[in-house]
Amino acid sequence: MVMSVEEHSPAENAGVRQGDILVSLGDHKIGSVADLRVALSSIDAEGKVQLRAIRSNEVMELTAEVVLQ
């Protein structure tokens, strides 16, 4: 579950909101914080990544712009 979203972050720009439940990022299924870390670490190029989240019992398909630092 998303606990917070930083202002002006790629997540906020993609439409991710506090309380969303992330279930996938790119080709990675998210079932834990460790899964999310693995998925984030596997991103190796700037561009767009698809993510799927559950909000109010509805599946949301979102696209985030990846910015590597």
Side-chain angles (χ1 to χ4, degrees), residues 8-66:
H8 307 295
S9 68
E12 182 187 55
N13 294 338
V16 176
R17 295 183 189 163
Q18 182 177 349
D20 287 353
I21 299 170
L22 296 181
V23 294
S24 69
L25 178 69
D27 295 332
H28 296 272
K29 292 186 179 185
I30 308 298
S32 67
V33 172
D35 293 340
L36 179 59
R37 287 186 182 128
V38 168
L40 289 170
S41 70
S42 71
I43 298 171
D44 60 357
E46 293 188 2
K48 297 181 188 255
V49 66
Q50 300 298 317
L51 55 104
R52 182 175 285 168
I54 299 173
R55 180 185 303 152
S56 301
N57 295 320
E58 291 186 38
V59 176
M60 310 290 295
E61 301 282 341
L62 306 169
T63 302
E65 186 77 28
V66 177

